[in-house]
Amino acid sequence: PVTIWARGLKMAPLLKLRGFKRLIGAQLTIDESTGVAISQEGRGDEAARYGFWATGIGVYFFWNLFTLLGAIGAGAIGDPAAWGLDAVVPAAFLGLLWPRLTNIKTRVLAISAALLALLLVPFVPAGIPIIATALLAVIFGSREKR
């Protein structure tokens, strides 16, 4: 819930939506559309807005299309791991994250967080590795201000 509010707070001043468009924009304010919009900020507000709408609509359309196709034909593909489909979500996340790694500090933080999560996964309950990586980000951020 906190990340939903954070995305909304970040995107509202950029999108400046009213009425029905605001309702549609709220439905499209997801990790992917927000990530693409933020990554385009250096190119201007218009590029960021275009990135938001293109990504949000694209994800909405294709998510629903492939959910339908999956429901209809999931049994035909067999084991998803055999096709390498288990790597799709991490690869998509890396694609969203990569443009944000603009300096050595962000790269070191990303690599450290990935290693910490991989080390913790076999030993702690689900969710703890993500919380630990968030704490790592807080530590990195607090060291920057000193």
Side-chain angles (χ1 to χ4, degrees):
V2 172
T3 58
I4 293 169
W5 287 100
R7 286 191 302 257
L9 289 171
K10 175 68 178 169
M11 297 309 300
L14 173 70
L15 298 174
K16 300 175 185 159
L17 300 174
R18 300 276 180 244
F20 186 70
K21 277 189 177 181
R22 187 175 181 135
L23 179 65
I24 299 301
Q27 296 303 308
L28 299 179
T29 303
I30 55 176
D31 292 342
E32 295 84 354
S33 62
T34 303
V36 170
I38 291 170
S39 71
Q40 298 301 311
E41 283 181 329
R43 298 176 64 198
D45 287 351
E46 190 61 35
R49 280 191 286 274
Y50 178 81
F52 172 85
W53 288 108
T55 304
I57 291 168
V59 168
Y60 181 84
F61 175 79
F62 287 108
W63 186 281
N64 286 296
L65 173 65
F66 288 114
T67 298
L68 175 63
L69 293 176
I72 293 170
I77 67 166
D79 181 16
W83 293 84
L85 296 178
D86 51 340
V88 170
V89 171
F93 183 74
L94 181 60
L96 290 171
L97 177 65
W98 194 259
R100 305 294 290 173
L101 304 178
T102 57
N103 58 47
I104 190 71
K105 183 176 180 179
T106 57
R107 291 180 185 132
V108 168
L109 175 57
I111 291 167
S112 300
L115 290 174
L116 178 61
L118 288 172
L119 290 172
L120 290 176
V121 163
F123 304 108
V124 299
I128 298 299
I130 297 300
I131 293 169
T133 59
L135 292 174
L136 185 64
V138 169
I139 292 167
F140 267 68
S142 67
R143 294 187 71 201
E144 181 177 297
K145 294 182 183 199
R146 290 182 189 167

